Amino acid sequence: MNGGPRLFSILRQGPYLIASIHTALDDSQLVRFQQDLVERIGSDRARGVVIDVAALDVLDSFASRTLRDIGEMARLRGAVTVIVGIQPDVAFAMVELGMDTGRVVTALDLEEGLAELDSCLAAPPAPRT
Amino acid sequence: MAAVEPVGSPGGDCGSADVAALIPLVRRIVASRVPDPATADDLVQETLTRVLAAAGRVEPGMLEPYAIVTARNVVTSMWRDQDRQRRHQHRVVDLRPPEAPDEDVLAREDRAAVAEALTRLSDRERATLLAHEVSGQDTRSLAAELGSTAGAVAAQLNRTRARLRVEYLLVSERVEPPTERCRPVLLAISSGDRRRQREVDAARHLLECGLCARLSEPLVGRGRSRDDAVRVAVRTDADVVAARQAAREVATRLGFSTTDVTLIATAVSEITRNIVRFADSGEVVVTELQEPRRGISIVARDAGPGIPDVDQALQDGYSTYHGLGLGLPGARRLMDEFAVVSETGRGTTVTMTKWRGEG
Ligand SMILES: [Zn+2]
């Protein structure tokens, strides 16, 4: 991505990070996105992350797994992840493909994603059974 | 797009929603497309049944978009069912070469020729073809009945169609082939199977046999011309994106719905990734199909190590365990027809097709 347009951006907003993907990413670009984001979660001590994937043309098995992994790694670092901007057609294809989206939380758009983070972090932790 | 009431249960799972909460949304979507309330009710029920059946596989936050697309699909497939009789009638007759004249007498002779050609297939070939083309049975359920795989059934259907085209031409020209080699040559040409064409030395036979030279023309010209094909060389990760975007463009041009375009692009992404991962290089060829219906054909081939056991690789679970990702079984679920040919040490070819619904 030397000199080319930015593929993604990671911005800080209060205790949260807002990660936006700007275009269709290939596998190695997705891996770089994952590395950068997880690093930022640590260095910024973020409590929540919103990932906007509206610009992704497909969420195939690799992209889905990458998002799930990001969610897991963020959780280990004490941050909640919300994915926003999954188009209905893309969601449908994910399910037909047989993707297990795991424990990733989704919301319609950025605003809802941030509201979701607020409510997740305000609520007391779910009782363990 | 209308949003469902967010179901935020404090202290519980973030983002959980349940199917009952989707009912007003599904009703709105169906009602805006289907005026008759009784029909609309049926379709709402069918949508909810499908969503419920999938609920275990769908992460709660994904239920809403899944329900939206399912509702649209249920409505579309109702329109399609109403049309099925006319459409399938059409499809059998569509086996004619496109330039066939539509005068009534000729049309009648033509149907007679198709009927005669059908009698020349084996019982099993004919039963399978008619079940698929006329009754609309899909390759997966055919495979279950035949104790085979959907890929094998799709490949068999392609061979049967190729044979039917050959027999149709012979019937309508009222000729019997002069040599033993004619039928194998015509069949190899009709099915577009390059390797088989080399094996039977088709090019040489066409030089020697006037009849086959003449009959091969409509067989070669049938439905596809080279101009309709888009070829993407595949070596790197970036080529995976290029291949799926090429497929997306062709599918959009062919008038596929945005849902289908996304399914096709996703399937292409999966099979192209396999080339990058397991072979050094390969190619993806995307072709427009006009016959027997509009559709899109995608061929992904490589000269990699090959897959030792294709049937096994097509099973869910196997591939994830062995690191192939969801590639093959996942992509197969997204397409109408799917076939894998692999030879250890020589490479793999995946052929997949999606047909366009009437629209
Ligand atoms: Zn001949």
Side-chain angles (χ1 to χ4, degrees), chain B residues 177-183 185-186 205-206 208-213 215:
Chain B
T179 78
E180 291 282 295
R181 300 189 50 208
C182 296
R183 269 201 172 83
V185 166
L186 291 172
H205 182 74
L206 293 188
E208 294 167 351
C209 176
L211 176 70
C212 288
L215 293 186

Side-chain angles (χ1 to χ4, degrees), chain B residues 140-163:
Chain B
R140 235 181 297 171
S141 79
L142 281 168
E145 281 175 18
L146 296 170
S148 175
T149 66
V153 170
Q156 178 62 51
L157 280 170
N158 282 335
R159 284 195 295 276
T160 303
R161 286 194 200 97
R163 186 186 303 282

Side-chain angles (χ1 to χ4, degrees), chain A residues 27 60-61 89 101 104 120, chain B residues 14 59 258-259 269-270 273 333:
Chain A
D27 290 2
D60 60 12
S61 59
D89 288 326
T101 51
V104 172
C120 282
Chain B
C14 289
E59 195 273 331
T258 59
T259 305
S269 199
E270 296 296 334
R273 171 176 298 111
R333 274 193 290 274

Side-chain angles (χ1 to χ4, degrees), chain B residues 327-349:
Chain B
L328 295 177
R332 174 164 71 161
R333 274 193 290 274
L334 305 181
M335 302 296 284
D336 293 330
E337 289 168 22
F338 192 91
V340 181
V341 177
S342 190
E343 218 178 316
T344 310
R346 308 266 325 248
T348 302
T349 301

